[in-house]
């Protein structure tokens, strides 16, 4: 998906392209995604480490804050994520690391701050657009 380098809208479009290109979120949050809800951007604002939690596929009692549901993988405050759905106190979030690896799973909603949805004006769409090597 093309984006204009350095623009906030370009970052949002890149984040959405990440979800479309990497189907990991579909398995990590299976059956809990509301496709009618638009994707949103959020930032991890919890304590130093915010662990991912297992899905209901791994354990029917999950996601929950129970220690048995906590995974070893975690994010830290300031990490940006794309939220693709929610289930109770949890959000299905996808993070893309600096080396391009992605990780999707359930994060506590209390540890996330969603960015306000922006309605870009027409000028945000004009300019030089680029795309990947494909």
């Amino acid at each position: 998906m093309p984006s204009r380098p350095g623009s906030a809208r370009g970052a949002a479009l890149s984040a959405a392209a990440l979800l479309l290109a990497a189907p990991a979120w579909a398995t990590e949050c299976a059956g809990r995604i509301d496709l009618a809800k638009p994707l949103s951007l959020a930032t991890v604002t919890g304590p130093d480490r915010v662990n991912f939690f297992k899905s209901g596929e791994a354990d029917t009692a999950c996601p929950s804050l129970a220690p048995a549901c906590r995974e070893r993988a975690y994010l830290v405050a300031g990490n940006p994520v794309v939220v693709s759905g929610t289930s109770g106190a949890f959000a299905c979030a996808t993070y893309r690391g600096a080396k391009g690896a992605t990780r999707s799973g359930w994060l506590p909603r209390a540890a996330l701050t969603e960015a306000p949805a922006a309605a870009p004006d027409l000028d945000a769409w004009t300019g030089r657009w680029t795309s990947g090597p494909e």
Side-chain angles (χ1 to χ4, degrees):
M1 177 173 283
S3 65
R4 214 170 73 196
S7 71
R9 183 66 178 169
L13 292 172
S14 295
L18 160 71
L19 288 179
L20 296 174
W25 64 270
T27 57
E28 293 296 327
C29 307
R32 307 278 181 100
I33 304 302
D34 181 2
L35 296 176
K37 179 187 180 291
L39 301 175
S40 62
L41 297 174
T43 302
V44 175
T45 56
D48 292 334
R49 292 182 178 190
V50 176
N51 290 79
F52 282 96
F53 287 80
K54 295 177 186 174
S55 70
E57 297 286 315
D59 183 336
T60 56
C62 301
S64 81
L65 293 175
C69 292
R70 184 175 291 134
E71 294 186 13
R72 292 182 72 181
Y74 64 88
L75 297 177
V76 296
N79 286 148
V81 295
V82 175
V83 175
S84 56
T86 59
S87 178
F90 291 88
C92 181
T94 299
Y95 171 74
R96 181 174 184 215
K99 295 182 181 178
T102 60
R103 173 64 164 94
S104 295
W106 295 105
L107 293 175
R109 290 172 69 183
L112 300 174
T113 299
E114 283 198 47
D121 58 26
L122 188 56
D123 290 338
W125 295 97
T126 59
R128 183 172 182 266
W129 289 73
T130 60
S131 184
E134 67 281 346

